[in-house]
Amino acid sequence: MQRRNFLQLSGAGLLWQLAGRSEAYTGGSVPALGASTLPIPPLLTGNSFHLSLQTGQMEFLTGKMTPTYGINGNYLAPAIKVRDGDNVSFNVTNNLGEATALHWHGMHIPADMDGGPHQLIQPGATWNAAFTVRQRAGTNWFHPHTHGQTGRQVYMGLAGLLMVEDAQTDALDLPKTWGEDDIPLILQDRRFRTDGSFAYLSGMMDSIQGMRGDVFLVNGAVSPRVSLPAKEVRFRVLNGSNARVYRLAFSDGRTFRQIATDNALLEAPVELGALTLSPGERAEIVVDCTVDMGKRLVLWDTLSRASLLMLDIDKTPAQITTLPATLGNLTWLNPAAAVRSRTFSLSMGMRMGMGMMMGAGGGTQFLINGVSMDLARIDQTVPLNDIEIWEIRNTGAMGMLHSFHVHGTHFSIVERNGSAANVHAYEKGYKDTVLLGSGEVVKIILKMTDYTTGANAPYMFHCHILEHEDRGMMGQFIVT
Ligand code: C2O
Ligand code: CU
Ligand code: CU
């Protein structure tokens, strides 16, 4: 009888009941809401960029220093803006003292420039990534993709925004003044030890649910405050957390308009009262503060009930913008033109002979189609220019969420749980990451264009809950 490497676990519920929800509390020294000012990452533009991945330290908690990683600084990175059609070049120097990789999440670029786990940068080495920008304006990002170490390296602070602009965004009357009415919000949650260091994987469930914390950072500051002009304000929101799903809303219950999904502007603004973002997802929203002079708002997460950001509308705007009713046309792939479909089943398993109750989820593995990530195995071969339907199934029970991400392209969501009507208003655009609740099935449509791959540099698909990715919920595909 053939021995299986993994036991599929469908009844993980018992474990949940035994272990409870472990989100250990950081304790004192956590600054109050609004105690610090929202940091705005410096904006880099042009064609050639130098990024240094380095160690640093930050005072997140009052009077305590936290050892961190950062890019050209102590924590997070400069924000980079490039233009559709431009040839750009990045020199990425690894000054960390451990191997890393730097992935351009959301970029439609050749796989050997993608910065996946095959493009490892050894300590002291510089990796050059050069590519042509060939995509719509949107808010993409970059972060490490080191096999088995991605979660920890991102947690330490390595992440930044990579924005694309194009003729469409030039022509639209959108808020565009960086740090004034065009404001990045990189959302992260962290847990600390009493000495101030990050408590990465310190709880029993961290490897299973993914690493969540009880302290909320925006752009690397604990629940800070931002001063805003009394006008339309655009926020580029990145869920840069390892595992937490946010449902964002404003304290006065106001609605706002979403103008972009992960990779591009929507065809028209979508009015929302709350916005759900899973790890890796982005959205751009416009909040109308025109008649709010003197008001104070709070951006909060309705799932954890945490306050993330205090907003004071106290500045006279230098100029007014008026969000257009339409933003432009997107090109949609027709499901009837799909030439094949593939299935990706996301599940949890455990190694035979190792108890899941031992250690911090020690034996847990996360699987796609029953197997754990293997750098030496190509899981899928996708012909160039074929339209395909990918069906993603979250087979996990008991509240296990996954956030499915595909490299090298964008997709759109055709169905959620068997029906197009279940696709949420806030996800009807170009996407590269999609949330699957427990038991959910999502169909996406995609076409790999422009670039074939060599077997030495495949693209990745994976769960963007980074502890799931690091524990095997990832696969590789080539384009031929
Ligand atoms: Cu943002 Cu493969 O990751
Ligand atoms: Cu990616
Ligand atoms: Cu997952």
Side-chain angles (χ1 to χ4, degrees), residues 346 366 400-403 463-465 468-469 473:
L346 313 182
F366 287 89
M400 181 65 75
L401 307 176
H402 299 294
S403 179
C463 179
H464 221 285
I465 291 178
H468 295 178
E469 175 188 339
M473 193 171 269

Side-chain angles (χ1 to χ4, degrees), residues 358-378:
M358 292 168 22
T364 320
Q365 290 283 306
F366 287 89
L367 314 173
I368 300 180
N369 293 339
V371 294
S372 176
M373 167 71 177
D374 182 347
L375 279 165
R377 183 190 67 230
I378 301 298

